[in-house]
Amino acid sequence: MTEKNYPKYTSAWLPYPMPGKAASPKDAARLELDAGLAYYGFDTPVILREEDLGEGYRIEVSEEAISIFAKEAGLLYGAFALLRDIALGKKPESCVQQPVYALRMLNHWDNMDGTVERGYAGRSLFFEGSRFDYDPERLRMYARILSSAGINTVALNNVNVHAPAQHLIDDLLPEVVEVAGILRPYGIRLLITVDFASPTYNGLSTADPLDEAVIAWWKQRTAAIYQQIPDLAGFVVKADSEYRPGPITYGRNQAEGANLLARALKPFGGTLVWRCFVYNCRQDWRDQKTDRPCAAYNTFMPLDGQFDDNVLLQIKNGPVDFQVREPVSPLLFSLKHTSRALELQLAQEYTGQQIDLYYMQEVWQEIFDLMPRNNISAICAVTNLGRDENWAGHDLAMANLYAYGRLCWNPDCLGEDMADQWAKLTYGKDCPAVDTITHMLHQSRSTYQKYNAPLGIGWMVEPHSHYGPNPEGYEYALWGTYLRADRNGVGIDRSSNGTGFAAQYPEELKKLYEDPTTCPEEMLLFFHRMPYDHVMKDGRTMIQRIYDDHFEGAEGAEQLLASWKTLEGQLPGDVFARVLDKMEKQVINARNWRDIVNTYFHRYSGAEDQKGRKIY
Amino acid sequence: MTEKNYPKYTSAWLPYPMPGKAASPKDAARLELDAGLAYYGFDTPVILREEDLGEGYRIEVSEEAISIFAKEAGLLYGAFALLRDIALGKKPESCVQQPVYALRMLNHWDNMDGTVERGYAGRSLFFEGSRFDYDPERLRMYARILSSAGINTVALNNVNVHAPAQHLIDDLLPEVVEVAGILRPYGIRLLITVDFASPTYNGLSTADPLDEAVIAWWKQRTAAIYQQIPDLAGFVVKADSEYRPGPITYGRNQAEGANLLARALKPFGGTLVWRCFVYNCRQDWRDQKTDRPCAAYNTFMPLDGQFDDNVLLQIKNGPVDFQVREPVSPLLFSLKHTSRALELQLAQEYTGQQIDLYYMQEVWQEIFDLMPRNNISAICAVTNLGRDENWAGHDLAMANLYAYGRLCWNPDCLGEDMADQWAKLTYGKDCPAVDTITHMLHQSRSTYQKYNAPLGIGWMVEPHSHYGPNPEGYEYALWGTYLRADRNGVGIDRSSNGTGFAAQYPEELKKLYEDPTTCPEEMLLFFHRMPYDHVMKDGRTMIQRIYDDHFEGAEGAEQLLASWKTLEGQLPGDVFARVLDKMEKQVINARNWRDIVNTYFHRYSGAEDQKGRKIY
């Protein structure tokens, strides 16, 4: 193999040499095509033609030429799509494409001190030492990677706005303007994550959303921002959540809080993205009535219809917090008069922290299998990116970013093998490692889930770090994250006989979840408290299923490692060694999960493993 | 009451106005006597006379005068003893006093960034912002408080030597010299806590204790230090423990490591204090053979006789780590040819963190009931002091410092009611609050122990912070701290049938501990794995005893609070309010312990409380 066949990994899935600076999306499209077509040895001329299709594009293929009809970013999306087909060895075909969602967002949880909350890929791409600090070339590289997948909106700063990030809307605005300028030619717009209490840092005595001075302050400030960044996508807010300030502080509800900002944004076409991650993070474990999964629905459903039309409620995919197995959030089914964004997490907080392999396409497939795509009007994901050379810490974790961008553009892509596409785009379609990598990615989720917290129960993780098992680490904590295991069984009854969470779903799903005999088994312990000797559909007891899963999961991790080892010499640069290091750590983690979870339940249940395997 | 009857709390138990600077201990003795005798209205003249009694003193009382015979610090100790008697309303009597232990030490775990490891009384008294930073007047106040109790040696810096504290022996030495100068007139000498790897920070390629260059480096450095501080007491070292460097790194044993430094100190009469807190802090919970309490004995016993005579092995009172109930460390019985120091912890890491009240005299009494006082030649304690106005965070925690100083001077004081003495000295012998405070101090240990981890098992604490319950927070961790509870029972068998720890004791104690029927019940789960239905001596089952203790403990905390509330208006300054705040927090903590420990064992055992009280 020659170096030419294998891109420098920092190019992610765009292996050809990065073109120079572009002045506009159209300019970028031309530059990318010139570089990419040459790299792939594609001779047919490609012509860019102006046509207003919003962000969409139309491709016409003839014998002599390929024409992309679009305007602005649409041209760039068309160019990237064409280059993707060529890279994958597909014959370009005429087509018309429109993105399904207008806002295709990434949230960075980056702090200005350079740390990244729940970041597993090194320090912040944007900040260091309480100020902006980035390589403009790398930022441009970042922008074209995002754009090539279909992402068009990013929030740079953490939803927990730590100092001095509250000044991104005033003192630090000139530097935000600079970043916006770097991203703009790639069709990417900024969101700014704001602190609801901002007026109080600026001389006002309150941030009460109904206070006239507060209203005026936000209007004035927002206008000043739009003067500098006319295409700003809007604001993101985490309010009244995990000690963040919000309208509740002032006796106002979430709609009153959101509308305050939405009205300031309205004249400029901006969107107010309001997170629904609101729950009691000071719960007493003795309180068995309060049930954290119920919180978002209980808070937001009564307000449905009261939010302005430029408010977008951002709802995590599950009702709790990105656990390894959660049902789809009931809010994603029930809100009727409010715009919703689905929030996913590419950062593998609970899913292996970019040490363990965890490819997410199947997770998203399951969401969209249940949830009509029109239930939402936007998608957001917490990024998995940082300053590491390979962007995501684990080289293979970039498959999630790729697949995520495609998902935002059109969930139909879930029908495609995006793992295979990503591997081919990244390492070359003829790279002998592609099939193994694709297979590993497809195995990864089931492997990880098997050795993790069983059957939807969640939260068996090490407190704070969230990596590795600590079954009762959170059992008596304030976060509403309880297993309530005892010698008889484990889990919380969330049916109508219990906390009633299942009743937040539409009738059909409610019926499915309410009844342990119909509840999907991988969600059994999310919805029900079950005895260890419960008989599963295949005849095994629940405890035996837990044991089996954990032995299989740890074996699976070993198999992933063995698969990777077959790839030595087939990958460019340090990719092999870097991933090998991760996978060796994953094997240890998987064994820890296996032994700790099995021991934990063995100690409670007293049940012996029917296969006589070692339980400590 | 008048303000004069009640000292400013910052004076601790020395209520009279602090005298000016003293040039020598004799000078200090004179100044203290002048100030104190006037304050207490004591008219008989007190005369200081030179006589070489080491650190001891002789008091002769006649009708006309009282004479204190001693030299240097002995005069000061005599003066403080006389003032103490007067303050307590005792008629001075002729006596001869000698300290039982020559080194009466305090270890500060202060870091130069200003934090205090396991500190619960504010930031460091000595350091801030990576440099020395102290109020010299306060340091003088600190010195006389220590001296008045009998303490004569302090180590300012943490046993975990964090940068830049390794430079206390070179670049920062001039500032150490200054502190030594402030403490010297009060008879207090410094120890410096050193980093075993120091030579490697100074150009050497190794810190191997047998390497000639290393030996020469320590000799040269030590000589240079003694040139500046001729009365330096010596060095303290935490080596090969919790990631600290030590001789094991170089394939050498603890004696080879300790002797390296001892030989450098020897020409100057210095002592090398070598901590015995050596264990495997990366244990795998699956490993049931390794048993942390065995570690210190296993490491040091084979080396008995190999340590130089100016090595002092510093041994924690229990074999693990200052847990709320531990047996006396077997090393304190078994070493025959090596000098030993008993290490206590005034800092209430596991005993309430100076939020919960925990008076320690009874703990020490139990140690000295078992261990002949001549088994040790020195005592050390980790301090409970910080920058808080009241020195120890909790005003009443100062009783532990007072009692500790007295203990170091002579363990006979354990026969006195030092709580009562402390309260009278601090608040005045006629203060109406004294009896209640004394009673509370005496109740505090049994109260705390009842609601904490039961029957000697330990480690049911929140990881890292060590405050509040988290029963399995450490269960699968690397620290060797396992409960191994299951549905049948709890604990580790440390008899000869189990890990063999009990066999480290002298025959009589070994027999006592080996057998669950003779093992003191408060240590039952330290030494044995027991079923929940084990019948205790009083006929209750073990699980019922656990429930009862925890209900009683939480009630006890409420009673302490109720007692304190009766003292409103009887104490000076903010003392009442400050302690009230602590005691209200203690009540919450005690309830958390009660409910979490009871629930934890109820979930495993399934046993109902025979009194039908609420278990969650």
Side-chain angles (χ1 to χ4, degrees), chain B residues 115-116 121 148 152-153 183 271 298 302 309 317 323 406 420 448 459 490 541 549:
Chain B
T115 59
V116 179
S148 74
N152 71 350
T153 312
L183 305 183
T271 299
N298 288 345
D309 61 5
N317 62 287
Q323 295 302 289
R406 303 286 321 280
D420 178 68
Y448 188 83
W459 294 113
V490 58
T541 58
D549 276 2

Short mmCIF file of all heavy atoms in Angstrom, two decimals, chain B residues 115-116 121 148 152-153 183 271 298 302 309 317 323 406 420 448 459 490 541 549:
data_model
loop_
_atom_site.label_atom_id
_atom_site.label_comp_id
_atom_site.label_asym_id
_atom_site.label_seq_id
_atom_site.Cartn_x
_atom_site.Cartn_y
_atom_site.Cartn_z
N THR B 115 -4.26 24.10 50.39
CA THR B 115 -5.23 23.09 50.79
C THR B 115 -4.64 22.24 51.91
O THR B 115 -3.42 22.19 52.09
CB THR B 115 -5.62 22.17 49.62
OG1 THR B 115 -4.44 21.53 49.12
CG2 THR B 115 -6.27 22.97 48.50
N VAL B 116 -5.51 21.59 52.63
CA VAL B 116 -5.08 20.68 53.69
C VAL B 116 -5.71 19.33 53.40
O VAL B 116 -6.94 19.22 53.34
CB VAL B 116 -5.52 21.18 55.08
CG1 VAL B 116 -5.07 20.21 56.16
CG2 VAL B 116 -4.96 22.57 55.35
N ALA B 121 -10.84 22.50 58.73
CA ALA B 121 -10.83 23.74 59.51
C ALA B 121 -10.29 24.87 58.66
O ALA B 121 -9.58 25.75 59.12
CB ALA B 121 -9.98 23.55 60.76
N SER B 148 1.45 24.68 75.54
CA SER B 148 0.71 24.62 76.80
C SER B 148 0.10 23.24 77.03
O SER B 148 -0.18 22.85 78.16
CB SER B 148 -0.38 25.69 76.82
OG SER B 148 -1.45 25.32 75.99
N ASN B 152 5.75 19.18 71.36
CA ASN B 152 7.05 19.83 71.15
C ASN B 152 7.64 19.67 69.75
O ASN B 152 8.76 20.12 69.50
CB ASN B 152 8.06 19.35 72.21
CG ASN B 152 8.48 17.89 71.97
OD1 ASN B 152 7.90 17.20 71.14
ND2 ASN B 152 9.49 17.44 72.72
N THR B 153 6.91 19.04 68.85
CA THR B 153 7.46 18.80 67.51
C THR B 153 6.35 18.89 66.47
O THR B 153 5.29 18.28 66.66
CB THR B 153 8.07 17.37 67.42
OG1 THR B 153 8.91 17.16 68.57
CG2 THR B 153 8.88 17.20 66.16
N LEU B 183 8.70 29.36 66.27
CA LEU B 183 8.24 28.28 67.16
C LEU B 183 9.22 28.01 68.30
O LEU B 183 8.82 27.55 69.37
CB LEU B 183 8.03 26.99 66.35
CG LEU B 183 7.08 27.07 65.14
CD1 LEU B 183 6.94 25.70 64.51
CD2 LEU B 183 5.71 27.62 65.54
N THR B 271 16.12 12.61 64.09
CA THR B 271 15.34 11.38 64.04
C THR B 271 14.71 11.23 62.67
O THR B 271 14.25 12.21 62.08
CB THR B 271 14.23 11.42 65.11
OG1 THR B 271 14.83 11.53 66.39
CG2 THR B 271 13.36 10.17 65.06
N ASN B 298 3.33 -7.51 57.88
CA ASN B 298 4.07 -8.35 56.94
C ASN B 298 5.27 -7.62 56.35
O ASN B 298 6.30 -8.23 56.05
CB ASN B 298 3.16 -8.82 55.80
CG ASN B 298 2.16 -9.86 56.28
OD1 ASN B 298 2.32 -10.43 57.36
ND2 ASN B 298 1.12 -10.09 55.49
N PRO B 302 9.53 -8.57 59.44
CA PRO B 302 10.75 -9.29 59.04
C PRO B 302 12.00 -8.40 59.11
O PRO B 302 13.11 -8.90 59.08
CB PRO B 302 10.47 -9.69 57.58
CG PRO B 302 8.99 -9.63 57.45
CD PRO B 302 8.53 -8.56 58.37
N ASP B 309 19.22 3.07 65.06
CA ASP B 309 18.56 3.43 66.32
C ASP B 309 17.91 4.81 66.29
O ASP B 309 17.15 5.14 67.19
CB ASP B 309 19.51 3.28 67.51
CG ASP B 309 20.72 4.20 67.38
OD1 ASP B 309 20.77 5.00 66.43
OD2 ASP B 309 21.61 4.10 68.23
N ASN B 317 -2.71 3.88 64.71
CA ASN B 317 -3.24 3.15 65.86
C ASN B 317 -3.92 1.83 65.47
O ASN B 317 -3.83 0.85 66.19
CB ASN B 317 -4.21 4.02 66.68
CG ASN B 317 -5.43 4.44 65.90
OD1 ASN B 317 -5.34 5.29 65.01
ND2 ASN B 317 -6.58 3.84 66.19
N GLN B 323 -10.12 4.05 60.88
CA GLN B 323 -11.55 3.81 60.82
C GLN B 323 -12.19 4.03 62.19
O GLN B 323 -11.51 4.11 63.21
CB GLN B 323 -11.83 2.37 60.34
CG GLN B 323 -11.39 2.12 58.93
CD GLN B 323 -12.06 3.06 57.95
OE1 GLN B 323 -13.24 2.95 57.69
NE2 GLN B 323 -11.31 4.03 57.43
N ARG B 406 -1.77 16.49 76.28
CA ARG B 406 -1.62 15.93 77.61
C ARG B 406 -1.24 14.44 77.54
O ARG B 406 -0.41 13.97 78.31
CB ARG B 406 -2.92 16.10 78.42
CG ARG B 406 -3.41 17.54 78.57
CD ARG B 406 -2.59 18.36 79.56
NE ARG B 406 -2.19 17.59 80.72
CZ ARG B 406 -2.98 17.33 81.79
NH1 ARG B 406 -4.21 17.83 81.84
NH2 ARG B 406 -2.54 16.61 82.79
N ASP B 420 -13.67 17.81 80.66
CA ASP B 420 -14.08 18.78 81.67
C ASP B 420 -13.00 19.86 81.82
O ASP B 420 -13.30 21.06 81.86
CB ASP B 420 -14.30 18.03 83.00
CG ASP B 420 -14.67 18.96 84.13
OD1 ASP B 420 -15.78 19.52 84.07
OD2 ASP B 420 -13.83 19.15 85.04
N TYR B 448 -21.52 8.54 67.80
CA TYR B 448 -21.03 8.48 66.43
C TYR B 448 -20.83 7.04 65.98
O TYR B 448 -21.20 6.65 64.87
CB TYR B 448 -19.72 9.26 66.31
CG TYR B 448 -19.25 9.39 64.89
CD1 TYR B 448 -19.76 10.39 64.05
CD2 TYR B 448 -18.32 8.51 64.34
CE1 TYR B 448 -19.35 10.51 62.74
CE2 TYR B 448 -17.91 8.61 63.02
CZ TYR B 448 -18.42 9.62 62.23
OH TYR B 448 -18.03 9.71 60.91
N TRP B 459 -15.28 1.42 56.46
CA TRP B 459 -15.29 1.66 55.01
C TRP B 459 -16.65 1.74 54.36
O TRP B 459 -16.75 1.50 53.17
CB TRP B 459 -14.46 0.59 54.31
CG TRP B 459 -13.04 0.70 54.66
CD1 TRP B 459 -12.32 -0.21 55.38
CD2 TRP B 459 -12.14 1.78 54.37
NE1 TRP B 459 -11.03 0.24 55.55
CE2 TRP B 459 -10.89 1.47 54.93
CE3 TRP B 459 -12.27 3.00 53.68
CZ2 TRP B 459 -9.79 2.30 54.84
CZ3 TRP B 459 -11.17 3.83 53.60
CH2 TRP B 459 -9.95 3.47 54.16
N VAL B 490 -21.89 -10.93 56.43
CA VAL B 490 -21.03 -9.82 56.06
C VAL B 490 -19.70 -9.95 56.80
O VAL B 490 -19.64 -10.50 57.91
CB VAL B 490 -21.73 -8.47 56.38
CG1 VAL B 490 -22.09 -8.36 57.86
CG2 VAL B 490 -20.88 -7.27 55.96
N THR B 541 -30.18 -10.74 67.84
CA THR B 541 -29.45 -11.15 66.64
C THR B 541 -28.52 -10.00 66.23
O THR B 541 -28.76 -8.84 66.58
CB THR B 541 -30.40 -11.43 65.47
OG1 THR B 541 -31.16 -10.25 65.22
CG2 THR B 541 -31.33 -12.60 65.77
N ASP B 549 -28.56 -0.17 67.17
CA ASP B 549 -27.47 0.81 67.28
C ASP B 549 -27.74 2.02 66.40
O ASP B 549 -27.48 3.16 66.80
CB ASP B 549 -26.14 0.17 66.83
CG ASP B 549 -25.47 -0.60 67.97
OD1 ASP B 549 -26.05 -0.67 69.07
OD2 ASP B 549 -24.36 -1.13 67.74
#
